Amino acid sequence: MKKRLVVFASGNGSNLQALIDACAQQRLHAEITLVITNRRTAYAAERAAQAGIPHRYEPLRPWLQNGKERADYDAYLAEIVAEQQPHAIVLAGWMHVFADLFIERFYGRILNVHPALLPAFPGAHAISDALAYGVKVTGVTVMYIWPGGLLNYDNGPIILQEVVPVYDDDDEDTLAARIHGVEHRLLPEAVRLHIEEKLEVHGRHVRLRP
Ligand code: GRF
């Protein structure tokens, strides 16, 4: 039976596309049952439509404008996700920090991709931060999200990491292109390991089952 995935995306959705392609090519024995976006401009929504995947646009702002809290929005999203009974929830460029109530409900099933070698360069500007710092290598991290709010957000147990070199003549675009190329391979692979139950989590440490 195919495993069920829910994907959250806020932007271009190239990582969503990598997951769509991996499912279509049966590298991933899974189906994406729902894509959720929170920005009107997210091209990820178009990618979902083109692949015939159900999509919901669920922005935070109307909730706040109606006097609700961020936690209300997160609780609402948690209900939508729970209905899907997903084996994995993939944050693929999702620019919203979930409250612990969401993360605790699905703990151990939420995967995130980050464009740096964590714990170096957490946060929303990892590629430009690495470039500005002058590092010679950066990379890609796929990890489980764990509770603890914004400060902990990029600190969860690491599933896969891969190094990406930084060259002297790199600018943000060339480095981003190299990083995205690795992300598009690493994220589907991490999702595969997760849904095939090949991973064991011991505290911070994620091990491949023997
Ligand atoms: C990726 O670099 C990912 O690591 C980060 O957000 C970016 C999303 O890119 N979390 P895309 O929308 O998947 O193209």
Side-chain angles (χ1 to χ4, degrees):
M1 203 194 66
K2 283 188 176 172
K3 298 293 171 80
R4 301 165 62 81
L5 310 180
V6 171
V7 180
F8 284 88
S10 302
N12 176 25
S14 66
N15 282 286
L16 167 65
Q17 190 67 54
L19 293 168
I20 292 171
D21 294 347
C23 291
Q25 295 161 9
Q26 312 220 350
R27 282 181 282 126
L28 209 46
H29 294 286
E31 64 173 323
I32 301 170
T33 63
L34 182 63
V35 171
I36 299 174
T37 61
N38 60 350
R39 289 189 180 164
R40 179 66 73 191
T41 52
Y43 187 63
E46 180 62 30
R47 295 180 191 272
Q50 281 174 13
I53 298 168
H55 161 250
R56 293 176 76 138
Y57 169 58
E58 300 287 356
L60 166 65
R61 186 177 300 212
W63 289 76
L64 303 181
Q65 285 168 342
N66 289 328
K68 297 283 196 330
E69 307 285 330
R70 288 174 71 98
D72 298 321
Y73 169 73
D74 287 14
Y76 165 76
L77 289 181
E79 288 305 318
I80 291 175
V81 169
E83 281 169 16
Q84 300 297 316
Q85 300 187 308
H87 296 92
I89 298 155
V90 185
L91 311 186
W94 174 247
M95 303 304 281
H96 168 79
V97 173
F98 281 124
D100 282 356
L101 70 91
F102 183 100
I103 296 167
E104 280 162 5
R105 183 157 175 186
F106 303 108
Y107 183 60
R109 280 187 280 166
I110 313 173
L111 287 77
N112 188 27
V113 57
H114 184 76
L117 287 179
L118 290 168
F121 309 116
H125 308 287
I127 298 175
S128 54
D129 288 349
L131 205 53
Y133 199 93
V135 291
K136 302 299 185 192
V137 295
T138 181
V140 173
T141 304
V142 184
M143 73 283 198
Y144 288 112
I145 292 287
W146 65 8
L150 185 55
L151 286 177
N152 250 350
Y153 215 64
D154 287 329
N155 282 350
I158 292 169
I159 302 169
L160 292 174
Q161 280 188 307
E162 192 169 308
V163 170
V164 172
V166 182
Y167 300 129
D168 288 349
D169 59 353
D170 265 334
D171 57 25
E172 209 175 314
D173 289 341
T174 57
L175 181 56
R178 200 173 307 118
I179 286 174
H180 291 323
V182 173
E183 287 181 336
H184 299 160
R185 187 162 37 73
L186 225 57
L187 180 62
E189 175 62 4
V191 172
R192 184 185 73 77
L193 292 169
H194 172 83
I195 64 173
E196 291 181 3
E197 299 178 10
K198 298 257 167 64
L199 301 174
E200 280 176 5
V201 184
H202 304 280
R204 290 209 48 81
H205 299 269
V206 181
R207 309 259 188 249
L208 270 181
R209 282 188 205 283

